[in-house]
Amino acid sequence: MIDLKLVQKQPEVLAKALADRQSPLKVDEFLELDGRRRALLAEVESLKQQQNAASRQVAQIKREGGDASHMMEELGALSARIKALDVQTAEAKAAVENWLMGVPNIPDASVPVGKDETENVEVLRWGTPRQFDFEIRQHWELGGGALDFERATRLAGSRFALYMGWAARLDRALVNFFLDQHVKHEDYIEVCPPFMVNRATMIGTGQLPKFEEDLFKMPAWDYYLIPTAEVPLTNIHAGEVLDEADLPRAYCAATPCFRSEAGAAGKDTRGLIRLHQFTKVEMVRFAHPDDSFNQLEIMVGHARTLLEKLELPYRVITLCTGDMGFGSAKTYDLEVWLPAQNTYREISSCSNCIDFQARRADIRFKPRGGKSAYCHTLNGSGLPTGRAMAAILENGQQKDGSIVLPRALVPYMDGVEVIEPAGRK
């Protein structure tokens, strides 16, 4: 949630941000709602002052033995009016808060202005895409029986995958490799969070109320299956005040992620790129406001390290204002090279949400000798195992159908360096 005072005092800042983001929201809507709230509040306060003055006058008349019945009738009517206005004021306040809940974060000044993904800006590339002297196969063709989409469809429906044998083992190897890198070589604390969370937790990170249609909800419970571990990890400190010395603070977790993909009908219907359920290791960082953009660069570096150790060519792009996520002030996407598609596809998204989520979840820190302030929160994929596996299969494929694994994964596969064609049955 953005700062209410900023919108009240500098509505032109939000107006530009909404225009840059291609948002249909208009600041005039807020000004009208907030104007009504303020007018009602002023009227209520004025009437309460009249009520207090009249009450004192009635008490004085009674002390002097006079008849205050007429004034008491007026007080009763005044009290009823105040109660009615209190209800209207609460409704007006809720309308303002609901409007603010639907407002995306304000892009940082360093974010390129653009209408959609075509205007994202490439920052760098790493690695050279391999040249093949044979027909390149899609990753679902290379998976053979170990990636069983047909049985997964019978078990659950479309956009699910069944990993068997070496594929299940490779998925587990990727999780362990990612977590070991984050915990042993970086500064993350490993967490095993709940895979279901309540509505307040979803509101805290911005999934609700705006993106309810993209979530899986338990009908009989006020629980939602998490779309990413960002949700429980960021809310670990909801309602808390951290010590300044504790910043930056970093967590990582490997969890299943559940997404309805409501806005992706017809896209990537085959393979591992866009599933209703997938495994992902997530990175979350809590930072001092003065240091958060430096922490964003650090987090991007951690995601890049994983891809480089997996020997996968990739590129980094800065998302433009029209392509950024709802809660982000700045986002870098890391896109891995998929030979069969002859293009780069997103595999990690690292974002600085500044104080947007912290305001919603009330996450603060206490500076030395100062008042508490909102933390800045950051999140990034480090990495999803399905997309990583797709990239490994396609980039490591050989003419005979075997798959050469990245050297970094060999210890996690008990020394297996090559998945032989026979091993894919």
Side-chain angles (χ1 to χ4, degrees):
M1 180 183 289
I2 59 175
D3 186 355
L4 173 62
K5 292 181 179 179
L6 183 147
V7 191
Q8 291 171 334
K9 295 178 180 179
Q10 297 178 285
E12 69 281 0
V13 173
L14 179 59
K16 182 181 185 306
L18 292 174
D20 289 346
R21 275 184 166 272
Q22 309 295 306
S23 171
L25 294 176
K26 303 298 181 185
V27 175
D28 287 347
E29 299 169 354
F30 166 81
L31 296 176
E32 182 178 346
L33 292 171
D34 195 48
R36 172 172 167 74
R37 179 191 67 83
R38 291 188 182 199
L40 286 167
L41 190 59
E43 185 177 357
V44 168
E45 290 302 316
S46 176
L47 291 177
K48 286 182 177 179
Q49 289 177 8
Q50 294 179 36
Q51 184 184 46
N52 292 335
S55 295
R56 289 193 297 269
Q57 191 174 355
V58 167
Q60 179 66 29
I61 292 172
K62 286 184 175 181
R63 282 196 299 271
E64 294 174 353
D67 183 7
S69 57
H70 178 67
M71 288 196 65
M72 290 180 66
E73 288 179 10
E74 292 180 351
L75 266 176
L78 187 60
S79 177
R81 174 63 178 157
I82 289 172
K83 287 181 179 179
L85 284 174
D86 279 340
V87 172
Q88 293 178 44
T89 302
E91 291 173 348
K93 180 183 178 183
V96 169
E97 291 176 348
N98 288 339
W99 192 88
L100 288 173
M101 280 288 185
V103 176
N105 204 350
I106 295 176
D108 184 67
S110 64
V111 174
V113 176
K115 63 181 184 299
D116 56 33
E117 63 183 9
T118 62
E119 298 189 70
N120 293 336
V121 177
E122 184 173 316
V123 178
L124 61 85
R125 294 191 181 199
W126 183 91
T128 302
R130 177 182 160 201
Q131 298 298 311
F132 293 83
D133 59 2
F134 57 89
E135 184 177 355
I136 302 172
R137 301 181 190 178
Q138 300 276 3
H139 65 271
W140 57 81
E141 298 172 319
L142 294 161
L147 288 177
D148 196 331
F149 297 99
E150 181 179 348
R151 287 191 173 95
T153 299
R154 293 207 303 266
L155 289 171
S158 61
R159 294 190 188 274
F160 287 92
L162 180 68
Y163 298 79
M164 299 184 70
W166 66 261
R169 186 179 183 182
L170 180 56
D171 188 78
R172 176 161 49 93
L174 285 166
V175 168
N176 290 336
F177 167 61
F178 295 159
L179 289 175
D180 280 354
Q181 177 63 30
H182 292 324
V183 175
K184 294 181 179 180
H185 304 290
E186 294 157 3
D187 59 346
Y188 295 87
I189 299 169
E190 184 177 350
V191 179
C192 184
F195 301 159
M196 294 185 289
V197 296
N198 58 32
R199 174 172 287 270
T201 299
M202 284 289 192
I203 290 173
T205 43
Q207 277 73 27
L208 290 177
K210 186 174 177 62
F211 300 105
E212 186 141 12
E213 69 171 6
D214 294 326
L215 303 172
F216 285 108
K217 184 180 181 182
M218 309 298 290
W221 302 79
D222 191 25
Y223 290 151
Y224 294 82
L225 297 176
I226 60 171
T228 164
E230 169 200 343
V231 177
L233 292 183
T234 302
N235 280 278
I236 284 176
H237 295 299
E240 297 181 11
V241 180
L242 303 175
D243 289 334
E244 186 177 35
D246 287 338
L247 301 177
R249 192 169 183 84
Y251 298 108
C252 67
T255 69
C257 303
F258 305 92
R259 300 183 185 179
S260 71
E261 298 293 352
K267 295 181 179 179
D268 299 311
T269 54
R270 298 193 67 181
L272 300 171
I273 300 301
R274 199 181 295 273
L275 300 174
H276 287 315
Q277 175 189 321
F278 59 94
T279 300
K280 177 159 68 81
V281 174
E282 184 75 2
M283 306 176 287
V284 163
R285 301 180 78 82
F286 298 84
H288 190 287
D290 295 341
D291 186 45
S292 66
F293 284 97
N294 172 55
Q295 292 299 317
L296 176 61
E297 301 297 329
I298 290 173
M299 178 178 283
V300 171
H302 294 159
R304 290 180 59 190
T305 296
L306 295 176
L307 291 172
E308 290 172 17
K309 288 192 173 184
L310 290 177
E311 304 164 44
L312 297 172
Y314 68 88
R315 69 173 185 168
V316 179
I317 62 173
T318 304
L319 298 192
C320 71
T321 54
D323 196 36
M324 286 199 314
F326 178 73
S328 175
K330 184 172 185 177
T331 297
Y332 291 107
D333 271 6
L334 280 72
E335 298 181 342
V336 69
W337 178 254
L338 291 181
Q341 296 187 18
N342 194 37
T343 191
Y344 292 93
R345 296 297 302 269
E346 178 198 337
I347 194 169
S348 177
S349 187
C350 298
S351 299
N352 184 0
C353 297
I354 55 173
D355 60 357
F356 187 83
Q357 293 177 326
R359 287 181 181 278
R360 298 170 75 106
D362 191 23
I363 307 169
R364 301 170 182 260
F365 73 99
K366 188 70 164 57
R368 297 181 185 88
K371 295 181 180 180
S372 65
Y374 289 109
C375 295
H376 282 194
T377 62
L378 303 93
N379 62 79
S381 310
L383 299 163
T385 60
R387 293 192 179 196
M389 187 182 299
I392 289 168
L393 297 185
E394 292 192 12
N395 283 278
Q397 63 181 294
Q398 306 300 306
K399 190 172 184 178
D400 65 357
S402 61
I403 310 294
V404 176
L405 294 176
R407 287 163 292 182
L409 288 182
V410 172
Y412 292 90
M413 294 290 287
D414 291 332
V416 174
E417 298 179 351
V418 178
I419 303 297
E420 301 292 346
R424 300 203 315 279
K425 293 181 180 179

